[in-house]
Amino acid sequence: MKLLEINNIKKTFDDLEVLKDISISVEQGEVVSILGPSGSGKSTLLRCATLLETMDAGSLYYCGETVAENVDGKSVYVGKHDIKRIQGYFGLVFQNFNLFPHYSVLKNIIDAPIHVQKRNKKEVEKEAMKLLEQMGIADKKDYYPCMLSGGQQQRVAIARALAMNPKILFFDEPTSALDPELTSEILKVLRMLAAEKMTMVIVTHEIDFARNVSDRVIFMDEGYIIEQGAPQDVIDNPKNDRVRAFLAKVQG
Amino acid sequence: MNKKVFIAAVVIFVLLVPAVLISFNITKVTGNEVLDNIVSIMNRLSNGIWSSLILFGLTLLFSMPIGLLVTFARRSRFKVVEMITKFYISVMRGTPLMLQLIVVYFAPYYLFKIPLSSDYRFYAAVIGFSLNYAAYFAEIYRSGIEAVPKGHYEAAKVLGYSRRQTFMKIVFPQMVRHVLPPVTNEVITLVKDTSLAYAIAYVEMFTLAKQIAAAQSSILALFVAGIFYYFFNLLVAFVMGRIENKMNYYTA
Ligand SMILES: Nc1ncnc2c1ncn2[C@@H]1O[C@H](COP(=O)(O)OP(=O)(O)OP(=O)(O)O)[C@@H](O)[C@H]1O
Ligand SMILES: [Mg+2]
């Protein structure tokens, strides 16, 4: 089943055309990595998919349900009520975590399930503790984010996203704010989620990780997808010169 | 007992002395002429202290919430509302408080020929002070709201919080912590500013102190008044400091 489908998305900031014509679909259980040079529009794509930005043109569907349709070359979004429901289908993990500093680790995780999804508090707490155990930070449940390392904060942020039971999870450079040791902590968590068949779209600069974990790699440049396919093809035998140049540069 | 609590105890004691003297109608405590004079000054200042405190308390009671409303208006999506609020704030901050008090006091007479009653002095003082301080608080709140990182709004949005929930749960608590130090400054300024009410002949402590000083041809009464302002502000700083410490639970 297609969890996410984006067709012919266009997005312009002022005079800068950031996304020119991008289409992506993601199947249930798939792990997709998005690579590309800085400024190529990767974050903008994720932000459009997670409704933090509105698309200028193009259509967007989650689980076959319409979020936005292309009408006369313009995106037309569905009503607030539908958006609210569909928002529960996806989660987003940020580069800089964006935990709520005045909430404890546990409260960061359980607050939205309780107050947005109106779920039972006891049940949500039990689930949150299970997630924290999975992440190896159950002993930190009463800490405030500022007392945790970056890697621990990112694990809390991932747990917070997972607690909403999303069908698909987006990551925007989840390790870029972390040093190498902490990066491997987070990549381990992502591997674990991939093994559990969590559907994920990950913007990353970790080429090895993309090669080993993802089912599909998408390479973006200047607002277009210039190459996509199995990691063995895109990363090990790129056809496009710009992909080759980029990989040569980042792999040193 | 720690040092701060000790200081607070001393301050409260000093502030309570006149209350005790007055309530038991003690006018002669020692044979010492200067000390007895101070006691009698305190007695005569007591009504003024009460008037100053009422003005202080009511001004805070009204200006703090009104300030929040002004902040909302200042950040309104509607340009007209924003412009009007900006103008209001700039007038309140750009003209002397004393002038504003006089305008509030005399406006009903000059505009509508309503005769001035002496009761109205009190209302005019409270209205004038509240409108002025609301403008200052509004700007402080605004800076506190703007200090909340954009990422927190985005995290809240992806988690499905409504705008109202985002403000109440995520933004407001962080704002309160950001604004406490500048609010403390403002409160301390207000304690001293209450003396400006003499401009509309509202009889508060400073007015009485000046009268006594003039009658006695001695600066002693002003000195006693100064001590009250000073000790009251010590108490304000102490209380606000305690609140600040309480709110700092989540910062490193
Ligand atoms: N809100 C905005 N307003 C104006 N320009 C923007 C905005 N957001 C992004 N841009 C511009 O869009 C372009 C693409 O940005 P984007 O963040 O999507 O790139 P990216 O591929 O994620 O880069 P990086 O690898 O550095 O994160 C950049 O030139 C950026 O300056
Ligand atoms: Mg980016």
Side-chain angles (χ1 to χ4, degrees):
Chain A
M1 185 174 97
K2 270 185 196 165
L3 280 191
L4 168 69
E5 187 180 348
I6 298 179
N7 296 316
N8 310 103
I9 176 173
K10 285 191 176 61
K11 177 69 183 174
T12 303
F13 290 114
D14 305 320
D15 298 329
L16 184 68
E17 209 181 349
V18 178
L19 300 178
K20 288 167 187 160
D21 182 14
I22 287 190
S23 303
I24 289 183
S25 71
V26 179
E27 295 286 328
Q28 180 151 28
E30 223 185 347
V31 177
V32 177
S33 291
I34 301 180
L35 304 179
S38 183
S40 55
K42 307 180 297 291
S43 296
T44 307
L45 177 62
L46 285 204
R47 293 170 59 81
C48 286
T50 52
L51 309 182
L52 290 176
E53 301 279 0
T54 51
M55 313 179 291
D56 297 334
S59 54
L60 171 61
Y61 308 90
Y62 277 100
C63 312
E65 291 182 48
T66 307
V67 180
E69 250 168 338
N70 205 30
V71 180
D72 300 330
K74 274 206 170 93
S75 294
V76 177
Y77 283 79
V78 297
K80 249 189 184 160
H81 198 74
D82 291 322
I83 296 258
K84 182 127 188 139
R85 175 170 42 80
I86 293 169
Q87 220 156 19
Y89 294 173
F90 59 81
L92 172 62
V93 173
F94 300 83
Q95 178 176 343
N96 52 356
F97 333 131
N98 285 327
L99 294 175
F100 304 129
H102 56 302
Y103 283 175
S104 70
V105 164
L106 187 64
K107 188 149 166 73
N108 260 286
I109 298 172
I110 63 174
D111 195 71
I114 293 172
H115 292 107
V116 173
Q117 296 181 328
K118 313 283 182 207
R119 281 158 57 194
N120 176 278
K121 186 173 174 196
K122 281 264 168 343
E123 202 178 285
V124 172
E125 258 173 10
K126 223 169 81 189
E127 232 179 272
M129 284 315 297
K130 224 159 69 194
L131 283 169
L132 283 174
E133 260 156 46
Q134 229 180 350
M135 303 279 161
I137 44 173
D139 55 327
K140 302 280 191 285
K141 75 178 172 70
D142 294 320
Y143 283 41
Y144 287 93
C146 66
M147 302 154 93
L148 303 178
S149 74
Q152 291 167 336
Q153 289 189 44
Q154 191 60 298
R155 280 182 277 170
V156 176
I158 294 172
R160 178 174 72 176
L162 286 170
M164 301 291 283
N165 292 323
K167 297 179 191 297
I168 177 170
L169 205 45
F170 296 90
F171 295 81
D172 192 357
E173 303 196 28
T175 61
S176 290
L178 306 173
D179 53 35
E181 200 181 326
L182 301 180
T183 294
S184 68
E185 265 179 26
I186 297 304
L187 295 184
K188 222 169 76 190
V189 170
L190 294 184
R191 278 201 185 87
M192 177 182 83
L193 292 175
E196 290 176 1
K197 287 289 158 209
M198 180 77 209
T199 311
M200 296 189 282
V201 177
I202 308 167
V203 171
T204 183
H205 290 300
E206 301 290 331
I207 308 291
D208 285 335
F209 169 80
R211 183 200 284 115
N212 297 331
V213 178
S214 37
D215 301 305
R216 183 153 50 104
V217 173
I218 291 177
F219 195 99
M220 282 179 66
D221 193 25
E222 293 182 356
Y224 291 108
I225 292 177
I226 58 171
E227 191 159 347
Q228 68 172 310
Q232 298 82 341
D233 299 331
V234 177
I235 295 176
D236 298 330
N237 297 299
K239 291 181 197 67
N240 190 298
D241 287 341
R242 276 183 288 176
V243 179
R244 209 172 296 147
F246 176 81
L247 290 172
K249 209 170 72 191
V250 294
Q251 290 179 316
Chain B
M1 195 158 69
N2 76 29
K3 202 173 130 207
K4 275 192 165 167
V5 175
F6 177 72
I7 294 174
V10 171
V11 168
I12 290 170
F13 176 75
V14 169
L15 292 175
L16 281 181
V17 165
V20 172
L21 292 176
I22 293 151
S23 44
F24 294 99
N25 204 14
I26 302 168
T27 46
K28 282 207 165 32
V29 267
T30 61
N32 185 304
E33 207 179 306
V34 178
L35 282 181
D36 280 351
N37 191 18
I38 289 178
V39 169
S40 96
I41 288 172
M42 283 180 170
N43 260 321
R44 289 159 69 187
L45 282 182
S46 61
N47 279 331
I49 292 172
W50 186 235
S51 310
S52 295
L53 279 180
I54 293 263
L55 182 55
F56 169 80
L58 288 180
T59 299
L60 282 189
L61 186 70
F62 292 123
S63 63
M64 290 183 118
I66 293 173
L68 198 56
L69 296 180
V70 175
T71 309
F72 291 150
R74 171 74 177 73
R75 292 167 52 84
S76 167
R77 276 171 293 169
F78 304 107
K79 256 287 165 295
V80 197
V81 177
E82 188 201 321
M83 294 305 287
I84 293 172
T85 318
K86 261 183 165 167
F87 179 69
Y88 161 72
I89 291 171
S90 79
V91 169
M92 287 297 141
R93 301 210 302 176
T95 60
L97 173 53
M98 199 189 287
L99 180 107
Q100 293 164 20
L101 290 173
I102 292 170
V103 168
V104 171
Y105 181 55
F106 286 107
Y109 177 72
Y110 284 117
L111 293 179
F112 309 109
K113 297 287 170 219
I114 300 169
L116 295 173
S117 71
S118 62
D119 277 353
Y120 180 60
R121 280 185 215 293
F122 170 69
Y123 296 110
V126 172
I127 293 169
F129 271 96
S130 298
L131 289 179
N132 178 276
Y133 272 76
Y136 281 92
F137 283 130
E139 284 301 272
I140 291 173
Y141 296 158
R142 188 165 68 93
S143 72
I145 289 175
E146 281 167 8
V148 176
K150 211 173 118 239
H152 293 189
Y153 290 90
E154 296 184 340
K157 178 154 190 234
V158 175
L159 288 168
Y161 287 106
S162 66
R163 282 167 55 109
R164 193 193 157 80
Q165 282 176 320
T166 304
F167 183 79
M168 298 305 288
K169 287 169 158 289
I170 312 301
V171 179
F172 188 75
Q174 294 192 65
M175 178 203 92
V176 169
R177 199 188 72 82
H178 284 300
V179 304
L180 272 177
V183 162
T184 303
N185 277 338
E186 223 39 58
V187 173
I188 285 174
T189 306
L190 174 60
V191 171
K192 297 175 288 179
D193 271 359
T194 52
S195 62
L196 289 175
Y198 83 86
I200 53 173
Y202 174 72
V203 179
E204 38 63 65
M205 176 169 60
F206 189 65
T207 312
L208 287 179
K210 272 198 310 186
Q211 286 169 3
I212 298 168
Q216 295 186 336
S217 323
S218 150
I219 204 165
L220 192 60
L222 290 172
F223 182 75
V224 172
I227 288 193
F228 271 112
Y229 286 118
Y230 182 74
F231 275 89
F232 192 70
N233 271 332
L234 277 187
L235 187 67
V236 168
F238 174 79
V239 171
M240 295 302 284
R242 289 301 284 246
I243 298 174
E244 252 173 69
N245 282 343
K246 275 236 162 61
M247 303 291 298
N248 269 344
Y249 63 90
Y250 67 82
T251 43

